[in-house]
Amino acid sequence: DASAAYPGLQSVRRTVVHLRPDVFLVRDLCRAAAGKVFEFNLHTDKEVEFTMNPDGVQICQPTAGCRVVLLDNANWTGKTWTGFKVNPSNRKQFPDRRHFRFSAPEKSETMDLVTVFLPFRKGHEADLPQVRRDGDTVTLTWTNGVVKKVRFAGDDAMLVK
């Protein structure tokens, strides 16, 4: 439980699943004492190409990229910016970064978010799987017909197929 790192949250649980060779699923289960707008943040190098999608973002560098898909029952909104609002003091100068923030549409006392990270080589974006969530199960379907399902149960996860 990582709730001590997040003021205002009673419970923070993260489950990470690695599907070989290169897919990662991250489930965040959070509970707040009072309603709050939950957020998911990503930070990258400043000089990246990116495309904001209704379900996340696709981030690219010259030879590779990563599609990030947020799976929740709500329509999260995303925004991006570079730099730091407050320059850290008493430290070396940090390089500018590109920041991505995705926010839930309204306040809630709970969050159950699965984020899927799909890395790819530039030019092979079409090979990425389609991703769908039905309750506690995430289904990934590749264009070659391969289907993998991951079922989350509490703090555990298992490959179903």
Side-chain angles (χ1 to χ4, degrees):
D1 181 21
S3 58
Y6 299 95
L9 295 184
Q10 292 177 319
S11 175
V12 177
R13 300 246 183 234
R14 174 168 278 177
T15 304
V16 178
V17 176
H18 176 212
L19 292 179
R20 292 182 183 193
D22 54 8
V23 174
F24 290 88
L25 295 90
V26 178
R27 184 186 196 193
D28 291 309
L29 289 171
C30 301
R31 191 172 62 246
K36 71 177 274 103
V37 174
F38 286 96
E39 297 176 343
F40 183 84
N41 294 282
L42 291 172
H43 311 283
T44 67
D45 288 338
K46 181 180 178 184
E47 302 300 325
V48 295
E49 298 174 26
F50 66 93
T51 304
M52 300 293 283
N53 300 311
D55 62 352
V57 63
Q58 185 162 300
I59 302 165
C60 294
Q61 291 197 331
T63 61
C66 186
R67 182 168 175 236
V68 181
V69 180
L70 282 72
L71 300 172
D72 190 2
N73 293 330
N75 293 319
W76 289 48
T77 57
K79 72 177 194 174
T80 183
W81 71 96
T82 58
F84 291 98
K85 290 184 179 178
V86 178
N87 190 24
S89 61
N90 298 325
R91 294 186 178 185
K92 66 178 184 174
Q93 179 64 40
F94 286 89
D96 277 348
R97 299 282 184 219
R98 175 153 300 277
H99 308 279
F100 298 90
R101 175 178 296 145
F102 299 92
S103 302
E106 59 189 17
K107 290 183 177 182
S108 175
E109 293 179 2
T110 61
M111 177 185 79
D112 182 356
L113 176 66
V114 175
T115 307
V116 183
F117 294 88
L118 302 163
F120 59 87
R121 290 191 176 143
K122 197 82 175 258
H124 292 270
E125 294 90 328
D127 297 337
L128 293 175
Q130 294 295 314
V131 181
R132 188 180 81 242
R133 180 177 181 184
D134 295 309
D136 288 337
T137 302
V138 176
T139 304
L140 297 101
T141 306
W142 280 264
T143 55
N144 64 2
V146 171
V147 176
K148 292 186 180 181
K149 294 184 179 188
V150 175
R151 181 173 297 137
F152 292 93
D155 291 340
D156 294 322
M158 66 181 132
L159 184 62
V160 178
K161 181 179 177 186

